[in-house]
Structure formats: C-alpha cells, structure tokens
C-alpha cells in the first residue's frame, strides 16, 4: 500500500542504531500500524506483547492457557508473566540495534521493571558504546486519539491471521473485501474487539496504563502525537521523534 511505499523511501533501512522505542496509547490508537512502519523502515523488530500472547493462546502453551480468559474479558495479564516474556524476547539477536515495544509497558510496575532491565543490559555492555545505545533510555511515542474515534476503529478492524497485517474497513480496506493483500488469507475480527470487551479494555487502559503518561513525562521521555491524523502524517511525526530524540 501507499503508506508502506513512502515509508520505505523515507529513511534508509539499517542506517543507524535507533535504541528502544515505546508506542503508548489506548486500544486501536494505531500502535501496531505505526510499529510495523517503523520496523520496516528502521530495520528493528516490533515486539507486540498482544501478538506474542495471542500466539501463545493459539498454540495452547502454558502461558497461553493462563492468559486466554484474562484477554477475553479485556483485563491485563499479570505483570510477572508479561515481563518474563519480554525479558526473553529482548535477548534475541535482532534487538541488537534497538526495538519497538508495542503494548508494553502497560502498568507503572512494568515501566519500572523495563527501566531496570535496560540498565542491566547496558551494564553488561560496558565499553561498547554502540551496544549501549541499543538499550539506552527509550523514546516514548504517545498516540492521542478520542474515545469515539477508537470505538469506530475497533468495529472496522480486520487482521490477517497469517501475516498479522491490520486493515480497517473504513479507513484502510484491503483491495479485495475480506482478503489479505499480502497472502490471500481470509481476514478475521479479533474476539476482544467485541463492544463489551472493548469497554473493559478502555477501563484497564484508563486505570492502569494512563499513569504512564506522567511517568514518562516526568523523565523527559514523552513525545505526544495526534493519532487521529491520517496514517502517513502520524508516521512522519513518529519518525521525526525517533530521529531527533536525545538519548541521555
Ligand atoms: P494488544 O494486542 O496490545 O491490544 P491493544 O493495546 O488494545 O491495542 P490494539 O492492538 O487493539 O490497537 P493498536 O493501537 O495496535 O491499533 P491498530 O494499529 O491495530 O493487547 C491485547 C490484550 O493482550 C490486552 O487487552 C491484554 O489482555 C493483553 N496484553 C497485551 N500487552 C500486555 C501487557 N503489556 N500487560 C498486560 N497485558 C497485556 O489500529 C486499530 C485500527 O485502526 C486498525 O483497523 C487500523 O487499520 C486503524 N488505524 C490505525 N491508525 C489509523 C489512522 N491514523 N487513521 C485511521 N485508521 C487507523
């Protein structure tokens, strides 16, 4: 699609070490959409805790069995489970130049854990400035979107169970209705996009995740972007935040 084409030419992939990037925002704010664009353009991995958890649910792993009912009712999975999951993902080799956290952290405890984890990672890489930069303090991009816009996005979202690509029947429809442009798989609606579950997810966001705005603002790490703009505009502003951040 057009968005991806323009993203690909905007910044040279693998150009530099970006360090950690956090995408913060309520359900359907566009975190996954922007994370994919950043990942393709900067050549760093998207770590979506929601996707990893859904993968575990689908494979019926021990973690998936614990998370399934919690996710189905729109609550947050316990911090310990999610932090362990992220810790092992951060050890993989593709995180060596930076990574995008999409949907993590989601509580102040997760944010405090992440700060300590990054500090520990930097400690293990003393004397290697480039490796330390890859796990420097994160830039936090907050996508700000009004509740009614989120609700409409949730009802229109469809995703590909094979490649994970996200569409929207109103704003980003596939070329052929109900079919993924990339691999021809039939698109599906996420079970937690049902109206009553969305309301619970919003409640969890307001009560447990919103305090992170102050947490990161106080630490000088927060960049706010109007997430109601077209995907391309949001992307440009997110890229600008990544390019201009001061990673002290
Ligand atoms: P998760 O999968 O992270 O869900 P979420 O945070 O609710 O976010 P979404 O995936 O719904 O939305 P998004 O912001 O990625 O938006 P998208 O790009 O798809 O988490 C699911 C569950 O897992 C949680 O409820 C919890 O139980 C558990 N979980 C996950 N992480 C956890 C953690 N850290 N701790 C504890 N539990 C955890 O876009 C939405 C739609 O809008 C799409 O259709 C898209 O095409 C469209 N769109 C995007 N941008 C635009 C735009 N600019 N204009 C118009 N349309 C747009």
């Amino acid at each position: 699609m057009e968005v991806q084409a323009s993203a690909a030419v905007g910044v040279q992939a693998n150009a530099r070490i970006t360090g950690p990037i956090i995408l913060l925002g309520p359900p359907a704010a566009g975190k996954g959409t922007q994370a994919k664009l950043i990942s393709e353009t900067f050549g760093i991995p998207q770590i979506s805790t929601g996707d990893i958890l859904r993968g575990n649910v689908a494979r019926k792993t021990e973690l998936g069995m614990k998370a399934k009912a919690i996710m189905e009712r729109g609550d947050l999975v316990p911090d310990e489970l999610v932090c362990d999951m992220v810790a092992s993902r951060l050890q993989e080799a593709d995180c060596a130049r930076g990574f995008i956290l999409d949907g993590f952290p989601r509580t102040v405890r997760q944010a405090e854990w992440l700060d300590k984890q990054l500090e520990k990672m930097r400690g293990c890489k003393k004397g290697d400035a480039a490796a330390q930069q890859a796990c420097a303090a994160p830039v936090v991009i907050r996508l700000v979107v009004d509740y009614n816009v989120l609700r409409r996005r949730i009802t229109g979202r469809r995703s590909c169970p094979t490649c994970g690509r996200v569409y929207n029947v109103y704003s980003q429809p596939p070329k052929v209705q109900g079919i993924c442009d990339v691999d021809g798989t039939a698109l599906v609606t996420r079970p937690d996009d049902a109206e009553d579950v969305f309301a619970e997810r919003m409640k969890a966001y307001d009560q447990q995740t919103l305090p992170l705005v102050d947490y990161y603002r106080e630490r000088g790490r927060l960049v706010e972007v109007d997430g109601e703009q077209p995907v391309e505009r949001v992307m440009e502003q997110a890229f600008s935040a990544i390019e201009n951040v001061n990673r002290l």
Side-chain angles (χ1 to χ4, degrees), residues 25-34 48-51 53-54 67 70-72 74-79 82 102-107 110 143 153-154 156-158 166-169 171-172 190 192-193 201 227-232 234:
K31 302 182 296 294
T33 300
Q34 295 299 326
S48 160
T49 43
D51 285 349
L53 287 167
R54 278 186 289 278
I70 301 171
M71 293 171 77
E72 278 172 356
D75 286 341
L76 295 186
V77 174
D79 291 333
V82 181
D102 158 14
F104 183 92
R106 245 177 162 98
T107 64
Q110 290 181 13
L143 301 177
R153 284 188 188 174
I154 281 277
R157 174 164 56 188
R158 303 288 180 272
V166 177
Y167 298 87
N168 195 286
V169 297
S171 58
Q172 294 181 289
R190 262 170 52 178
D192 62 348
D193 281 352
R201 287 161 67 198
E228 291 185 22
Q229 305 173 95
V231 172
E232 297 88 336
V234 177

Side-chain angles (χ1 to χ4, degrees), residues 67-167:
K68 188 172 186 284
I70 301 171
M71 293 171 77
E72 278 172 356
R73 60 174 189 263
D75 286 341
L76 295 186
V77 174
D79 291 333
E80 305 71 46
L81 295 180
V82 181
C83 290
D84 283 353
M85 194 178 88
V86 172
S88 60
R89 181 64 185 88
L90 292 183
Q91 281 168 13
E92 290 180 32
D94 61 347
C95 295
R97 290 192 316 106
F99 43 86
I100 309 149
L101 292 167
D102 158 14
F104 183 92
R106 245 177 162 98
T107 64
V108 169
R109 270 189 69 205
Q110 290 181 13
E112 288 168 348
W113 173 88
L114 179 66
D115 282 345
K116 287 199 191 104
Q117 188 70 12
L118 292 173
E119 201 180 311
K120 220 189 292 171
M121 288 164 75
R122 290 194 293 275
C124 296
K125 289 163 185 169
K126 277 202 177 111
D128 183 343
Q132 285 206 320
Q133 175 77 5
C135 45
V139 55
V140 182
I141 301 172
R142 178 191 181 197
L143 301 177
V144 183
V145 183
D146 179 74
Y147 179 83
N148 288 321
V149 177
L150 297 172
R151 223 167 134 248
R152 184 170 162 82
R153 284 188 188 174
I154 281 277
T155 58
R157 174 164 56 188
R158 303 288 180 272
S159 47
C160 173
T162 305
C163 71
R165 183 149 176 185
V166 177
Y167 298 87

Side-chain angles (χ1 to χ4, degrees), residues 7-29:
V9 293
V11 183
Q12 264 196 340
N14 305 321
R16 68 180 180 88
I17 294 171
T18 55
I21 296 160
I22 292 174
L23 288 169
L24 181 65

